[in-house]
Amino acid sequence: MTSKDWIELLINIITFCIISYFIFYKSWLKSLGNEMAKLTTREQLTKLEEDVKKNFNEQLESYKSKLNEELSLKIEPLKSELSKNNITHQIQFSYLHQERGKVTLELYKKLQELHSSMISWTARLQRVIIDAEKEDEERAIRVNNAIQDFGNYYTNNKLFFTSEFCEFIDELFKSYWEKSWDFKYKKSRIASGQVTQEYYDTYTEEMKEISIEVRDKLPEKIKELETKFRKLLNVVDEK
């Protein structure tokens, strides 16, 4: 290879390097520009997002503030009305409780009179003061009056008690009424003298059972009712 060929080859190499350099540099500049554009766009998007959030939060707070004001204007009258209704309810409940207390006390007194009259009338041994027949009649009248008095008062005041409570009193009153009727019937049959010895013995034994049940079993029912009365009146046992 001649010197001319070497020189020509060297020129071609240098030319290639120069051209390659500029081509690579231009590509690098373009790539760098793209990256800068991306960076600028990302920063703008980030700033835009922050601005949107800030604006949204400001509008949200403003809306919440206005909403609270509107709700306050609407709620205050409702609070006032509810307060009035609550006071009215408390007054009504207090009055109802007081009236129920009076009814309960009076009903209990009438029950005690009913039980006392039944104990006296059905007792197996009767003390005679002056006139046995008249005194026995007075005991019977006392029982009849006590039954009517209790029954009428209870019927007129049942609304003060729950249905379950009334069922218990109904059963108790039924026991007194049935035992009173049975005792009266058997006593009148024996007093008439128109029964056989067998019936006399049967009636006498049944009257004895009624007397024992009135004296020993019905007080348990009364005690159970007393517990219900105390609970109804919120009576608390002392500790």
Side-chain angles (χ1 to χ4, degrees):
M1 181 178 292
T2 63
S3 299
K4 184 179 179 180
D5 293 332
W6 279 105
I7 293 172
E8 186 177 352
L9 177 61
L10 181 61
I11 292 172
N12 289 334
I13 292 173
I14 293 172
T15 302
F16 175 78
C17 289
I18 293 172
I19 294 172
S20 297
Y21 171 78
F22 280 106
I23 291 174
F24 172 78
Y25 181 71
K26 184 177 180 181
S27 176
W28 179 80
L29 287 177
K30 183 178 180 181
S31 176
L32 179 61
N34 290 335
E35 291 299 322
M36 290 295 293
K38 290 180 181 179
L39 181 61
T40 302
T41 302
R42 189 179 300 116
E43 290 177 351
Q44 290 176 346
L45 288 175
T46 301
K47 186 175 184 305
L48 178 62
E49 181 180 1
E50 291 176 352
D51 291 342
V52 170
K53 287 182 178 180
K54 180 180 179 181
N55 185 46
F56 174 78
N57 289 332
E58 290 176 352
Q59 292 183 6
L60 179 61
E61 290 300 322
S62 176
Y63 175 75
K64 287 168 62 177
S65 178
K66 292 180 180 179
L67 183 61
N68 287 333
E69 291 178 1
E70 293 178 1
L71 288 176
S72 296
L73 293 175
K74 294 181 179 180
I75 288 176
E76 286 305 321
L78 292 176
K79 285 183 177 179
S80 178
E81 187 66 23
L82 287 174
S83 179
K84 292 179 182 178
N85 292 338
N86 186 43
I87 293 174
T88 302
H89 174 73
Q90 290 179 359
I91 293 174
Q92 291 175 344
F93 180 79
S94 177
Y95 174 77
L96 176 63
H97 185 71
Q98 291 177 4
E99 290 300 306
R100 184 162 55 185
K102 295 177 182 178
V103 170
T104 300
L105 179 60
E106 189 63 26
L107 188 65
Y108 181 72
K109 289 180 179 179
K110 294 182 183 300
L111 176 60
Q112 287 295 339
E113 169 59 19
L114 174 57
H115 182 72
S116 175
S117 64
M118 282 289 290
I119 287 286
S120 176
W121 188 43
T122 60
R124 296 178 61 193
L125 297 176
Q126 299 287 354
R127 186 179 67 169
V128 178
I129 300 176
I130 298 176
D131 188 334
E133 185 176 348
K134 181 180 179 181
E135 291 167 7
D136 187 63
E137 183 179 354
E138 289 174 349
R139 284 190 288 269
I141 293 174
R142 182 188 174 194
V143 168
N144 288 333
N145 290 338
I147 289 176
Q148 291 181 9
D149 194 27
F150 180 88
N152 291 336
Y153 188 82
Y154 166 64
T155 301
N156 292 332
N157 292 280
K158 291 180 70 172
L159 287 177
F160 284 98
F161 308 106
T162 64
S163 298
E164 182 181 358
F165 196 93
C166 288
E167 288 177 3
F168 184 88
I169 298 180
D170 288 338
E171 287 297 320
L172 181 60
F173 180 64
K174 181 181 177 182
S175 296
Y176 279 106
W177 188 89
E178 289 180 346
K179 287 171 176 51
S180 170
W181 193 93
D182 288 345
F183 191 85
K184 180 179 180 180
Y185 173 77
K186 293 172 174 58
K187 188 177 182 67
S188 64
R189 291 295 296 160
I190 292 175
S192 69
Q194 299 177 358
V195 294
T196 63
Q197 185 63 40
E198 182 180 359
Y199 273 109
Y200 178 88
D201 294 340
T202 300
Y203 288 160
T204 301
E205 184 62 28
E206 289 176 349
M207 289 172 65
K208 176 183 175 182
E209 292 175 358
I210 292 174
S211 177
I212 293 174
E213 189 166 355
V214 170
R215 185 191 65 198
D216 297 337
K217 293 185 178 180
L218 288 182
E220 296 178 0
K221 293 292 184 180
I222 294 177
K223 186 174 292 186
E224 187 175 350
L225 182 61
E226 288 175 354
T227 301
K228 292 180 180 294
F229 278 149
R230 290 190 180 96
K231 185 177 180 181
L232 185 67
L233 298 175
N234 295 324
V235 176
V236 180
D237 293 334
E238 295 182 359
K239 296 182 180 180

